[in-house]
Amino acid sequence: MQGNQDLGKILGGEESQVVVGVALYTVTGGLRGYAVTCRVDGTIISAISVQDEGGSARAYTPTWRGIALLQGDYFVSKFPIVSITLTAAADSVIVHCNKPY
């Protein structure tokens, strides 16, 4: 399931996008993610792509990728997040976004 931008507005303005399930989710609306909040205990982020200084997308492997997260865990990315993939249908995160600089 793709993120729900209407729910994102309720949760914190257009700069929040909710991600649920295992499909690759691409940050939408011309935004880039800067942080992730876990919504469901046990959520595991299997893959993250970020935009590097040159504007190219590349894989990102922070220490919080690949581990079971707890609801409320909050992580800031060093690089703008362009896509994220979770491991299970019940997994869910909020990607906090802003306009790229």
Side-chain angles (χ1 to χ4, degrees):
M1 172 191 272
Q2 291 291 306
N4 182 321
Q5 290 199 13
D6 290 335
L7 183 57
K9 289 178 183 178
I10 293 168
L11 294 171
E14 67 181 10
E15 292 81 17
S16 296
Q17 297 182 12
V18 177
V19 180
V20 179
V22 297
L24 169 70
Y25 176 76
T26 302
V27 176
T28 61
L31 302 172
R32 294 294 178 256
Y34 64 86
V36 174
T37 299
C38 178
R39 294 184 63 228
V40 177
D41 283 347
T43 292
I44 298 174
I45 299 169
S46 63
I48 302 171
S49 291
V50 295
Q51 186 175 18
D52 65 18
E53 292 86 2
S56 300
R58 67 173 179 84
Y60 182 47
T61 55
T63 57
W64 42 272
R65 194 198 84 182
I67 62 169
L69 304 174
L70 298 175
Q71 182 180 12
D73 282 350
Y74 177 83
F75 302 96
V76 176
S77 175
K78 289 183 180 181
F79 305 98
I81 298 169
V82 294
S83 68
I84 191 165
T85 304
L86 307 177
T87 60
D91 287 351
S92 183
V93 297
I94 299 170
V95 179
H96 304 280
C97 304
N98 58 17
K99 295 280 183 191
Y101 27 83

